[in-house]
Amino acid sequence: MPRARQLPGVASGPPVRRRAHPPEPAATLGAPPEATAPPAEPSAAPDVAAQAKKLRTLLGEIGPRRRALAKELGSKGRPLSTPVLLARFRAAGLERELGQRERDLLRALFARHRGGERKVAGDLELSLDELKTLVRERGLAREIEAMRERYRGEARKADWPSAQLSNLALRRAWLEDLGIHAELSSGAVQRAGRVWEKARRSKDPVQALRRELRIGPAEARVLRDLLSRSTPA
């Protein structure tokens, strides 16, 4: 190590040695800057939870009625299509819950309307084809048809003449929906044929039918109309 040189006019002291410093490493040219980790993307879990909460609230308020839900979740005058509606519930993890609620509602409505498809479709704001598709999608086709057959059996076994004629007079749409109106009408004509032969010659055939069969005016009128159409002039 070199000695420090004494300056003129300055008292000399003990010799001072200069410390040698290690050379600083030269900066590496062209080195890429230190990579930084990308910011973490926000989790989608809160959005899914919020969407699920909203859809559950609607299910509680409206019920699993597709048409009403599509209107509520769509824009004004533009309800969601069925595929988009189902996709919303699927994305929120509510596909199974919607399906179960739809099955429960279908069972309840078919029981309320005694198997009548048109009434159920009207209640759900669906066409008959849309209702049948929904029933198939939810795996209820056989169950609903068995229910409808049970109501057909009840209508066929209704007491003659009052109950059967009452159904023909007051529940024609229901019998037609079940597909047995023509069958029961034909049966009524056959059963009342002999009574009609006498009643048709009376001054008031309706009153004659009421008296002979002990039925009400509505039942007597519908029976007269059926018998008149089936009897040659």
Side-chain angles (χ1 to χ4, degrees):
M1 181 177 296
R3 291 177 177 270
R5 183 176 297 179
Q6 182 178 355
L7 296 176
V10 178
S12 63
V16 178
R17 295 179 179 273
R18 293 178 180 175
R19 293 183 179 180
H21 297 282
E24 295 182 1
T28 305
L29 297 178
E34 185 178 353
T36 57
E41 295 184 1
S43 173
D47 292 338
V48 173
Q51 182 71 0
K53 182 178 179 181
K54 177 181 178 180
L55 293 177
R56 276 202 178 96
T57 300
L58 285 176
L59 280 176
E61 294 174 351
I62 298 175
R65 300 170 182 269
R66 292 188 179 187
R67 189 75 74 202
L69 289 170
K71 291 177 182 178
E72 187 68 25
L73 293 170
S75 57
K76 186 176 181 180
R78 297 187 64 183
L80 298 183
S81 66
T82 298
V84 173
L85 176 68
L86 297 179
R88 290 279 291 272
F89 277 88
R90 189 181 307 114
L94 297 177
E95 184 177 19
R96 292 185 64 183
E97 182 172 341
L98 174 64
Q100 186 57 55
R101 289 199 183 203
E102 282 187 324
R103 281 188 286 274
D104 292 343
L105 179 60
L106 286 168
R107 291 185 180 106
L109 290 177
F110 271 99
R112 177 191 301 173
H113 298 302
R114 299 175 60 81
E117 288 180 325
R118 289 184 180 87
K119 289 282 189 179
V120 175
D123 203 323
L124 295 174
E125 299 181 78
L126 300 175
S127 68
L128 273 177
D129 287 341
E130 288 172 331
L131 174 63
K132 291 176 181 179
T133 298
L134 176 58
V135 168
R136 286 195 302 270
E137 285 178 359
R138 294 312 178 199
L140 295 177
R142 294 180 64 181
E143 181 179 336
I144 295 302
E145 182 54 31
M147 183 186 297
R148 282 166 58 81
E149 185 59 34
R150 185 169 70 251
Y151 287 119
R152 292 186 190 106
E154 290 181 6
R156 291 183 179 113
K157 294 175 182 177
D159 291 339
W160 171 265
S162 58
Q164 287 215 15
L165 291 176
S166 178
N167 283 337
L168 288 169
L170 306 176
R171 301 179 181 87
R172 175 171 181 163
W174 174 61
L175 296 176
E176 288 178 339
D177 192 299
L178 294 177
I180 58 173
H181 178 266
E183 172 191 330
L184 296 183
S185 296
S186 177
V189 168
Q190 292 177 7
R191 287 185 169 189
R194 291 184 179 180
V195 174
W196 178 240
E197 287 301 322
K198 179 180 178 181
R200 65 187 294 208
R201 296 183 177 89
S202 67
K203 184 177 180 180
D204 189 340
V206 170
Q207 287 298 326
L209 289 172
R210 291 188 63 187
R211 183 173 58 253
E212 292 293 330
L213 297 175
R214 298 182 181 181
I215 55 179
E219 290 80 357
R221 283 193 295 270
V222 75
L223 182 58
R224 176 203 59 191
D225 294 342
L226 290 172
L227 291 163
S228 297
R229 288 194 295 267
S230 66
T231 304

